[in-house]
């Protein structure tokens, strides 16, 4: 079987297809729901509206909104409708602009909490801050003089993920930015205070590092899920980019089974579960990753980004589009991703 056929077969098997391989006239497995740059997405639901947040692109906290998860529009500034609204117009005192990555927004009690990655002014490394707002559209404000989490001896800290367990205890997961300083990368967990703005105890290694060939020099974007039978940690790995000399981006998504919310976690032997492919039947996907799991329409969905591509699956431009698909989990905790949602006519 040639490589494109293997990739298509892999994708179809991943999606749990019971029927024979799709005919060429059938739609591709994955279609973006938002075809503008929207990297490292976080998505929340509020009063029937979905709000998406992304890594900075001119704004510290870009936001888009949707009622149906397939048609999205930019959140506009009420005082200036022609201008997009920045959900966090001012960063914390410790942070400088232009390196604001991977927001994670959730509601805790009566307020909204944002975990964000930004560049430390003095240490010149990425760290994680925390900000709060009464409204999911902001403005979010970080009142702390220093980051919530930072690991300077390990290259810094990025990619916050908030998890609430069934006992209502809160946990924050993150990645040490070891690849920034030619060190290994690991995934970590730490208890949070009840209001989500303070740390409890010490950070714990989850037992996950970049030690598999498909992960190359980095693992990142931890995403913890409580399934019907236990704990599953999704994550992304390898170089996030899509260089012009590469046929497809090597960025991909994997998972691990964890003994508890603080690990230890064990990589699944069938990783990666979602990676780049280009096939006449399955379509084109390049660099899927930095996933978010959220609830909507009475079920769970996965959101992730992947690179903009031409019809021939070559790099189109430096934009990462937003994809959304239903997701479930087997009794063993393995994620099962369905074909993505798509706007009408696609």
């Amino acid at each position: 079987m040639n490589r494109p056929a293997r990739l298509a077969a892999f994708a179809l098997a991943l999606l749990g297809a019971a029927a024979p391989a799709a005919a060429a006239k059938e739609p591709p497995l994955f279609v973006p729901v938002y075809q503008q740059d929207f990297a490292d997405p976080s998505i929340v639901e509020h009063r029937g509206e979905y709000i998406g947040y992304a890594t900075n692109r001119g704004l510290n906290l870009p936001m888009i909104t949707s009622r149906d998860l397939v048609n999205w529009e930019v959140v506009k500034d009420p005082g200036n409708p022609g201008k997009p609204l920045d959900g966090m117009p001012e960063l914390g005192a410790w942070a400088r602009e232009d390196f604001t990555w991977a927001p994670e927004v959730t509601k805790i009690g009566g307020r909204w909490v944002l975990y964000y990655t930004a560049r430390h002014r003095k240490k010149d490394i990425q760290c994680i801050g925390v900000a709060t707002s009464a409204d999911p559209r902001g403005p979010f404000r970080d009142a702390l003089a220093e980051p919530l989490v930072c690991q300077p001896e390990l290259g810094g800290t990025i990619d916050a993920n908030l998890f609430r367990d069934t006992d209502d205890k809160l946990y924050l997961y993150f990645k040490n930015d070891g690849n920034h300083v030619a060190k290994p990368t690991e995934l970590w967990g730490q208890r949070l205070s009840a209001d989500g703005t303070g740390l409890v105890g010490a950070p714990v290694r989850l037992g996950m590092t970049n030690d598999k060939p498909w992960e190359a020099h980095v693992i990142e974007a931890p995403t913890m899920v409580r399934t019907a039978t236990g704990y599953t940690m999704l994550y992304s790995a390898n170089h996030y980019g899509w260089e012009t000399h590469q046929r497809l981006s090597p960025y991909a998504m994997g998972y691990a089974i964890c003994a508890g919310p603080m690990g230890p976690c064990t990589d699944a032997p069938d990783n990666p579960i979602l990676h780049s492919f280009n096939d006449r039947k399955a379509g084109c996907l390049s660099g899927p990753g930095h996933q978010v799991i959220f609830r909507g329409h009475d079920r769970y969905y996965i959101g992730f980004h992947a690179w903009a591509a031409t019809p021939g699956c070559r790099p189109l431009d430096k934009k990462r589009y937003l994809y959304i698909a239903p997701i479930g989990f087997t009794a063993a905790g393995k994620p099962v991703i369905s074909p993505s949602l798509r706007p009408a006519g696609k």
Side-chain angles (χ1 to χ4, degrees):
M1 185 181 293
N2 60 30
R3 178 173 173 77
R6 289 199 306 271
L7 290 170
F10 172 88
L12 291 168
L14 165 67
L15 300 174
K25 66 179 181 180
E26 293 190 8
L29 294 173
F30 297 103
V31 173
V33 295
Y34 188 65
Q35 296 187 56
Q36 296 296 327
D37 195 27
F38 207 75
D40 309 328
S42 174
I43 299 173
V44 300
E45 186 274 336
H46 178 58
R47 297 176 180 173
E49 176 186 57
Y50 298 93
I51 304 172
Y53 311 85
T55 281
N56 71 291
R57 59 173 198 283
L59 306 175
N60 292 324
L61 185 61
M63 298 183 292
I64 58 176
T65 183
S66 173
R67 289 280 175 179
D68 58 9
L69 294 176
V70 297
N71 298 291
W72 294 83
E73 59 184 28
V74 174
V75 175
K76 299 296 182 62
D77 187 338
N80 185 357
K83 181 181 178 182
L85 181 66
D86 192 336
M88 191 179 187
E90 294 184 10
L91 300 180
W94 58 271
R96 62 185 171 102
E97 296 186 0
D98 297 329
F99 294 90
T100 311
W101 302 345
E104 172 90 350
V105 176
T106 190
K107 190 174 185 181
I108 301 176
R111 63 180 177 175
W112 294 84
V113 181
L114 162 69
Y115 303 94
Y116 69 102
T117 300
R119 182 76 67 176
H120 197 291
R121 289 181 179 274
K122 296 180 180 179
K123 298 177 182 178
D124 196 32
I125 56 174
Q126 296 291 91
C127 304
I128 292 173
V130 60
T132 60
S133 172
D135 191 297
R137 298 185 180 207
F140 286 91
R141 292 186 173 88
D142 182 350
L144 300 180
E146 292 295 331
L148 178 67
V149 182
C150 198
Q151 298 166 295
E153 71 284 0
L154 297 175
T157 309
I158 70 171
D159 290 356
N161 169 240
L162 186 281
F163 170 68
R164 182 189 294 275
D165 208 345
T166 53
D167 60 3
D168 281 337
K169 290 181 180 178
L170 300 177
Y171 299 85
L172 191 71
Y173 302 97
F174 44 88
K175 162 229 173 180
N176 75 281
D177 207 18
N179 53 296
H180 179 65
V181 291
K183 289 186 176 182
T185 57
E186 296 181 85
L187 300 185
W188 301 70
Q190 189 160 5
R191 278 279 315 280
L192 286 172
S193 59
D195 67 358
T197 64
L199 301 174
V200 176
V204 173
R205 287 180 167 91
L206 299 178
M208 299 175 64
T209 187
N210 56 305
D211 56 0
K212 303 295 189 299
W214 76 273
E215 298 165 343
H217 65 295
V218 58
I219 62 172
E220 58 188 19
T223 308
M224 181 66 85
V225 180
R226 179 70 185 261
T227 71
T229 55
Y231 299 84
T232 296
M233 171 72 79
L234 288 86
Y235 66 100
S236 299
N238 214 310
H239 174 46
Y240 79 96
W242 188 4
E243 309 303 333
T244 54
H245 69 277
Q246 293 176 316
R247 181 175 176 273
L248 293 167
S249 170
Y251 205 52
M253 192 186 306
Y255 76 103
I257 301 300
C258 302
M262 297 288 271
C265 303
T266 303
D267 292 349
D270 53 348
N271 281 333
I273 58 165
L274 186 61
H275 61 65
S276 301
F277 60 84
N278 177 23
D279 183 78
R280 182 176 59 87
K281 296 178 180 179
C284 170
L285 192 67
S286 189
H290 204 106
Q291 65 291 322
V292 57
I293 307 295
F294 66 97
R295 190 166 181 83
H297 302 316
D298 298 321
R299 68 163 304 155
Y300 284 98
Y301 291 88
I302 183 170
F304 60 90
H305 70 233
W307 286 103
T310 67
C313 207
R314 300 299 302 170
L316 178 60
D317 53 33
K318 288 292 184 179
K319 293 181 179 180
R320 284 170 282 177
Y321 291 166
L322 173 64
Y323 293 74
I324 295 176
I327 187 172
F329 295 85
T330 69
K334 178 178 179 176
V336 179
I337 305 171
S338 298
S340 69
L341 304 180
R342 61 202 66 214
K346 294 188 177 182

